[in-house]
Amino acid sequence: MAREFRAGKTQLMGILNVTPDSFYDGGRSFGPESALRRAERLAEEGADILDIGGESTRPGARPVALEEECRRVLPVIRRAARAFPSIPVSIDTRRAETARRALLEGARIINDISALAHDPAMAGLAARSGCRVVLMHMRGTPATMQSLARYRDVTREVRGEILERVEHALKSGVKKKNILIDPGIGFSKTAEQNLELLADLGSFSALGYPVMVGCSRKSFIGAVLGGRSGPLPPAERLEGSLACALWCASHGARVLRVHDVGATRRALRVAEALTA
Ligand code: HH2
């Protein structure tokens, strides 16, 4: 299990949700102008990748129609890809048509929370385009996922289910070098199961694919830090998110999907200096 920080090796994927209803930043970057300002800020703070999404996937979020999803994300992707040519843009979508149009606008990574399961056309698109693909673990859909959080051995089962999705991607023609895997923190998992997965994150790196993790401001952090008045709200989860980022970076994660790029980069730099 890799325990040391790998100086400069942990990439930060800055989250840009062009949605009115995301659990933390919903509404903040909803129009193209404010979304571009947020992209500029993430770039200034040192984002290595920009992850742009137009549909919230929090439990119970309303699904968005294809045209509406494209209307939200495509102008932002076009402008961000031109303004920051050295920062790859990732499209956070489960739909092949959204991903296809996003790639035409300059996106270079497909981040699919369903790991190519939601849309049968996604695997072929990923293979033909030769872009990088994030295969994230989840069960069911955002509407049903929390009722499917039943595991005997969460780490073993999540690893096995990710490997099935990797197999599907490879059989569809996606190249091994283009695959990243993600345990899907908060997706069809309870707070305790998320903690168990993170505690054993090193076993995911051992699968032989770069590991990406998204813990930023998620509800298990609110549960850990909550008290009598209930879980801590997303706005108060920065320190918990930084603790998770350092943990993940020291247990082999190669990409961290975060809202707070500047703060995470600073925390990582100190941790990296300590172990250089
Ligand atoms: N988490 C979210 C969305 N996309 N993609 C990957 N690969 N990994 C994640 O953990 C992940 C993801 C959910 O977070 P967010 O986008 O901040 O919220 P919302 O779904 O409410 O828009």
Side-chain angles (χ1 to χ4, degrees):
M1 189 154 56
R3 281 195 178 275
E4 79 285 4
F5 286 89
R6 290 144 50 105
K9 283 281 164 60
T10 313
Q11 294 207 314
L12 297 184
M13 174 187 266
I15 302 172
L16 206 176
N17 285 318
V18 195
T19 56
D21 56 347
S22 287
F23 78 93
Y24 172 59
D25 56 354
R28 290 190 203 181
S29 315
F30 194 36
E33 291 308 321
S34 52
L36 200 73
R37 279 199 299 279
R38 165 116 181 107
E40 275 163 12
R41 169 130 193 242
L42 292 169
E44 272 165 27
E45 289 182 349
D48 300 291
I49 304 167
L50 294 174
D51 189 42
I52 301 180
E55 181 177 51
S56 173
T57 49
R58 71 184 160 74
R62 286 164 62 113
V64 171
L66 167 73
E67 287 307 325
E68 172 62 10
E69 185 186 31
C70 287
R71 197 186 61 75
R72 291 178 183 180
V73 296
L74 297 181
V76 182
I77 291 174
R78 183 181 316 135
R79 291 174 66 179
R82 281 192 197 146
F84 315 107
S86 61
I87 305 180
V89 169
S90 149
I91 171 68
D92 186 348
T93 187
R94 295 177 289 163
R95 290 197 182 98
E97 182 56 17
T98 307
R100 189 185 68 78
R101 295 192 208 172
L103 294 174
L104 289 175
E105 297 293 356
R108 287 192 256 158
I109 301 168
I110 298 174
N111 175 23
D112 182 355
I113 59 156
S114 80
L116 314 180
H118 176 77
D119 186 333
M122 192 67 117
L125 173 74
R128 283 192 305 281
S129 68
C131 68
R132 279 193 286 162
V133 190
V134 181
L135 302 178
M136 194 199 80
H137 176 271
M138 77 182 294
R139 287 179 174 174
T141 64
T144 62
M145 62 186 179
Q146 286 318 107
S147 65
L148 301 170
R150 282 193 292 270
Y151 305 84
R152 269 198 218 109
D153 178 341
V154 67
T155 316
R156 192 174 53 75
E157 287 170 58
V158 170
R159 274 198 317 262
E161 289 168 27
I162 288 186
L163 283 179
E164 285 171 19
R165 302 313 305 160
V166 168
E167 250 341 276
H168 172 69
L170 292 171
K171 276 200 188 121
S172 308
V174 177
K175 295 239 165 28
K176 182 174 182 203
K177 69 175 171 58
N178 287 333
I179 295 176
L180 288 92
I181 58 172
D182 182 331
I185 298 301
F187 289 84
S188 58
K189 285 118 193 155
T190 63
E192 292 72 25
Q193 289 161 351
N194 289 318
L195 292 169
E196 231 182 286
L197 281 170
L198 290 171
D200 199 9
L201 193 65
S203 70
F204 286 82
S205 311
L207 296 177
Y209 294 86
V211 173
M212 171 169 142
V213 192
C215 294
S216 188
R217 297 187 182 260
K218 283 190 176 168
S219 62
F220 76 97
I221 297 173
V224 169
L225 297 176
R228 286 219 180 120
S229 49
L232 216 56
E236 293 170 39
R237 297 177 191 161
L238 173 62
E239 299 85 348
S241 303
L242 296 177
C244 288
L246 297 184
W247 173 271
C248 292
S250 65
H251 289 77
R254 297 286 293 278
V255 184
L256 305 177
R257 184 180 181 276
V258 299
H259 298 95
D260 306 281
V261 168
T264 311
R265 177 59 71 208
R266 288 189 291 278
L268 281 174
R269 273 174 52 197
V270 175
E272 286 167 356
L274 286 165
T275 53

